[in-house]
Amino acid sequence: MSMSKGTVGLIGLAVMGENLALNLESKGYKVVVYNRTASRTEAFLKGPASGRDIVGASSLDEMARLLPRPRQIILMVKAGRPVDEVIEQLLPLLEPGDILIDGGNSHFEDTERRAKKVEEAGLLYVGTGISGGEEGALKGPSIMPGGSQRAWCVVGGMLKSIAAKAGKDNDEPCCEWIGPGGAGHYVKMVHNGIEYVVMQAISEAYLLMSSLLSMRAGEIQTVFDNWNKGDLDSYLMEIAASVLKKIDPETGRPLVDVISDRAAHKGTGMWTSQSALELGVPAPSIAESVMARYISSLKAERESAAKTLPGPTPAVYGKDGFDDASKPRIIGAIHDALKGTIICAYAQGFAILAKASETYSWQLNMPSIAALWRGGCIIRAAMLADIMEAFDRQPNLPNLLVSPVFRDALEGVQKGWRAIIALAAQGGVPVPCFASSLSYYDSYRAARLGTNLVQAQRDYFGAHTYERVDREGVFHTDWTSEE
Ligand code: 6PG
């Protein structure tokens, strides 16, 4: 009989909570579960949890009594108000030294506030990002814990044991201490910002192949499968291919073709963009991928504008005099645009992290963050090993774009990336993320931009002053004077 490694409480039995409880139990922990709707707890105990070392508590009070001290309680409730409510109810039942772990997608500022409040009561608080969806929660997610460092000494072993493993021997847990306060949830938020870009970029590749090359879902799937075997090897590429394979049982058509193109969101991409704006970090690909979802949701407006607004109809392969070599060339260019865009997504994500680390004094460890994104999470990708190495070699790398490995990669893709954006623009196919990422790249590598004119205009209408290229100082000109 195996000895239990300890007992942990888990509140909130939606699918992520259930799967995390099963994961914990499979790693030798006894789990006491509680859900506000008791029937859900019963169904879980009779169903997936039956025969396992998982017990139900009928109240938070009972949960507190069933847990040994210091109590460790994981909250898997909906982000926002519900987290505050559960904390409110728990505090009178707990004692100094007990540990609360919020595993939802909480906003990092909420986590900062809650950590303070809980610590004032003598308890320890961990706000942790958990990525990997339902399957990750069950088989091993990527875990990004932050908050009370003292708590890490107690719960670190447990969190590492349930995390995904990566590395060449598959034995490096995708879980590491991130930093104080809301640092863990912040890193998870930026993970999601990157996730938005990769998803949007893959959807642009799909749109280009279907509109310029008349490729159907099955054919695009083959291309995605191939890309997933090469430099674009990633979970999101893999599932995009898998999605394209699925046939709708009702219509017999590829299921993707009958899904409405209005993309929803729960806010984390928007939060990442808001934070980038506040910190003054350029992250246009992330913002653009949020905007792309917003514009997609204006379905009725788009349908009506499609009938009235002028624009070209894309030249279509097979109809408009493309030669035989054009199809593989266009597919190659789409690959290049996708790769360039994904590199920009990571570059922007890590630039946001660097600035946040400095602003909030978190001392984020970039190679370690790249390392724990290598497995379990939604953005896991072969590219993360290169990112980890790039930061390992140059801890103060100002931007991933200038690391030798990505510089070379960008050199390889830029020609195709530019060509496909030109083709898309000529054909009127919207590729917001591909295009804004290329502009980011070109702006970042431009020693001189046109913004000297912006400065001049600001000084013209508001005496906002400007600096000069040829000498130090702050200058103002009376722009309308005759001299
Ligand atoms: C993860 C996911 C997860 C969630 C997204 C969905 O890392 O496991 O990111 O947290 O599915 O937040 O976000 P949207 O609904 O905003 O697309």
Side-chain angles (χ1 to χ4, degrees):
M1 204 179 86
S2 68
M3 278 277 289
S4 166
K5 287 193 198 155
T7 307
V8 56
L10 188 142
I11 299 173
L13 290 175
V15 68
M16 289 290 286
E18 284 195 356
N19 284 354
L20 212 61
L22 295 170
N23 185 351
L24 281 159
E25 196 270 351
S26 75
K27 294 292 181 296
Y29 294 90
K30 178 186 173 106
V31 192
V32 180
V33 295
Y34 170 80
N35 193 70
R36 202 174 47 175
T37 315
S39 56
R40 180 111 209 174
T41 313
E42 265 168 52
F44 179 54
L45 293 175
K46 284 201 191 114
S50 85
R52 317 266 303 247
D53 200 3
I54 298 180
V55 297
S58 56
S59 64
L60 291 176
D61 189 48
E62 188 187 1
M63 169 175 271
R65 275 185 279 114
L66 288 171
L67 292 173
R69 292 184 60 194
R71 299 178 183 88
Q72 299 168 34
I73 302 179
I74 303 176
L75 314 182
M76 293 301 292
V77 300
K78 202 167 176 302
R81 193 69 210 128
V83 180
D84 288 307
E85 282 165 10
V86 176
I87 294 175
E88 224 35 76
Q89 292 161 23
L90 277 171
L91 283 184
L93 308 172
L94 301 179
E95 289 160 280
D98 289 350
I99 301 170
L100 288 184
I101 306 169
D102 172 18
N105 268 335
S106 291
H107 191 283
F108 78 102
E109 285 171 346
D110 285 338
T111 303
E112 299 266 338
R113 171 176 57 76
R114 290 169 188 146
K116 267 202 196 87
K117 183 183 166 136
V118 168
E119 278 165 29
E120 272 162 22
L123 278 72
L124 305 179
Y125 196 76
V126 175
T128 184
I130 300 184
S131 175
E134 297 172 18
E135 198 189 326
L138 182 65
K139 296 185 182 158
S142 171
I143 306 183
M144 295 149 250
S148 317
Q149 174 119 41
R150 264 175 58 214
W152 175 240
C153 306
V154 184
V155 301
M158 171 180 77
L159 294 179
K160 282 188 171 183
S161 79
I162 59 167
K165 308 292 180 291
K168 69 176 176 356
D169 298 321
N170 236 18
D171 60 354
E172 299 165 33
C174 295
C175 171
E176 196 42 80
W177 180 249
I178 300 286
H185 275 138
Y186 192 91
V187 168
K188 173 60 180 21
M189 176 191 82
V190 172
H191 163 285
N192 281 27
I194 297 169
E195 172 186 303
Y196 272 53
V197 180
V198 179
M199 292 170 78
Q200 173 62 25
I202 292 174
S203 83
E204 290 176 17
Y206 155 80
L207 180 70
L208 283 169
M209 280 188 253
S210 61
S211 45
L212 297 179
L213 300 171
S214 307
M215 288 168 67
R216 300 196 179 275
E219 204 187 345
I220 301 173
Q221 175 229 317
T222 310
V223 174
F224 282 0
D225 268 335
N226 281 332
W227 289 354
N228 191 41
K229 289 183 196 123
D231 51 2
L232 294 178
D233 172 359
S234 64
Y235 172 70
L236 286 168
M237 195 80 255
E238 177 194 325
I239 66 164
S242 178
V243 162
L244 294 175
K245 224 178 352 210
K246 190 86 179 166
I247 300 297
D248 174 34
E250 281 174 43
T251 59
R253 296 169 59 195
L255 183 55
V256 71
D257 291 347
V258 293
I259 294 180
S260 163
D261 62 350
R262 287 188 306 179
H265 78 118
K266 292 200 208 74
T268 47
M270 176 187 75
W271 293 348
T272 313
S273 303
Q274 282 173 333
S275 180
L277 285 169
E278 276 166 21
L279 295 173
V281 181
S285 310
I286 296 175
E288 200 59 66
S289 60
V290 179
M291 300 297 173
R293 292 198 191 184
Y294 291 177
I295 202 161
S296 84
S297 70
L298 305 177
K299 180 75 169 169
E301 279 181 56
R302 287 192 286 118
E303 277 172 345
S304 124
K307 295 189 194 109
T308 59
L309 290 182
T313 314
V316 173
Y317 176 79
K319 284 196 209 140
D320 298 303
F322 283 96
D323 61 31
D324 284 348
S326 55
K327 186 169 175 178
R329 201 173 54 233
I330 292 172
I331 293 175
I334 296 172
H335 162 277
D336 292 350
L338 180 55
K339 184 168 171 184
T341 299
I342 293 174
I343 294 172
C344 286
Y346 283 106
Q348 292 168 24
F350 277 96
I352 296 173
L353 290 179
K355 185 68 182 195
S357 179
E358 183 194 310
T359 308
Y360 304 117
S361 308
W362 283 338
Q363 296 184 314
L364 297 180
N365 180 330
M366 302 306 166
S368 159
I369 292 169
L372 64 85
W373 284 349
R374 286 174 307 165
C377 65
I378 304 295
I379 63 168
R380 62 186 185 259
M383 203 182 274
L384 278 156
D386 292 336
I387 296 177
M388 187 179 145
E389 205 186 305
F391 282 118
D392 254 337
R393 285 199 181 162
Q394 289 170 271
N396 295 323
L397 192 63
N399 188 298
L400 265 183
L401 298 182
V402 294
S403 72
V405 53
F406 289 109
R407 196 216 73 92
D408 291 352
L410 289 160
E411 179 163 39
V413 298
Q414 63 153 332
K415 192 162 166 251
W417 190 3
R418 293 181 194 288
I420 200 66
I421 284 170
L423 202 60
Q426 275 163 1
V429 183
V431 285
C433 225
F434 281 2
S436 90
S437 301
L438 183 61
S439 284
Y440 171 76
Y441 173 63
D442 280 336
S443 299
Y444 192 77
R445 63 179 201 88
R448 185 166 163 84
L449 294 165
T451 27
N452 40 334
L453 185 53
V454 172
Q455 282 298 77
Q457 291 175 99
R458 292 177 67 244
D459 190 54
Y460 190 116
F461 62 65
H464 295 296
T465 72
Y466 57 88
E467 292 170 337
R468 296 179 58 98
V469 295
D470 52 0
R471 57 184 199 273
E472 293 281 308
V474 175
F475 300 88
H476 167 62
T477 296
D478 180 358
W479 293 91
T480 50
S481 95
E482 291 299 317
E483 299 136 40

